[in-house]
Amino acid sequence: AVVSTQSTGQHDFKVLEFSHPKPLTRDTAKYKPFKELSKGNTPSLKKLCKEILKTDIQESTHDSVEDAQYALQLYRTHRATWERSIKRHKKKAQKRVSVDENDQSSSDDALED
């Protein structure tokens, strides 16, 4: 499976009329450890590159190719922890669904009595 990286949402994908499965998309603007660098706000790609990669981007003009390259570099730098956090989140969600289903079947049983 191909993982897509992006910064600041789906805008570029919409413009290109490109869709990618949401579970395989990694958005640098939404990754919690990156957001913490901006005190919970959406971090700019420029700020993330400066803080994490120690490099300046978008010096004169906006370059979508450069943005994509640096978003990918940020992802690769944090891939292991990013993917672990996604797995943990999925496990928690599955447990919630399982608990909700058990609660539902218990209340269904109570209704039948």
Side-chain angles (χ1 to χ4, degrees):
V2 175
V3 173
S4 166
T5 57
Q6 60 187 26
S7 178
T8 66
Q10 297 286 330
H11 178 72
D12 289 341
F13 281 174
K14 286 179 184 175
V15 169
L16 295 170
E17 297 179 6
F18 175 79
S19 66
H20 194 75
K22 194 171 184 173
L24 296 176
T25 301
R26 306 295 179 263
D27 190 338
T28 59
K30 294 180 180 178
Y31 183 47
K32 190 174 182 178
F34 291 171
K35 287 182 80 163
E36 289 171 356
L37 292 173
S38 293
K39 299 177 182 150
N41 298 316
T42 302
S44 70
L45 184 61
K46 184 173 186 167
K47 178 180 177 122
L48 291 173
C49 288
K50 181 75 169 176
E51 300 266 332
I52 297 168
L53 302 176
K54 308 295 186 220
T55 190
D56 293 315
I57 66 164
Q58 302 170 346
E59 290 290 309
S60 56
T61 60
H62 179 259
D63 182 343
S64 296
V65 173
E66 179 185 54
D67 288 356
Q69 290 170 332
Y70 281 104
L72 181 58
Q73 190 171 349
L74 285 163
Y75 168 72
R76 286 180 173 159
T77 302
H78 293 272
R79 177 181 10 215
T81 54
W82 200 326
E83 294 303 320
R84 274 195 303 272
S85 73
I86 290 170
K87 285 181 183 177
R88 278 194 308 272
H89 180 73
K90 284 181 183 177
K91 283 182 181 178
K92 285 180 183 178
Q94 287 172 342
K95 282 183 180 179
R96 279 194 304 267
V97 169
S98 178
V99 167
D100 290 345
E101 287 172 353
N102 288 339
D103 289 346
Q104 182 62 41
S105 83
S106 295
S107 48
D108 290 347
D109 291 344
L111 292 174
E112 291 176 8
D113 292 338

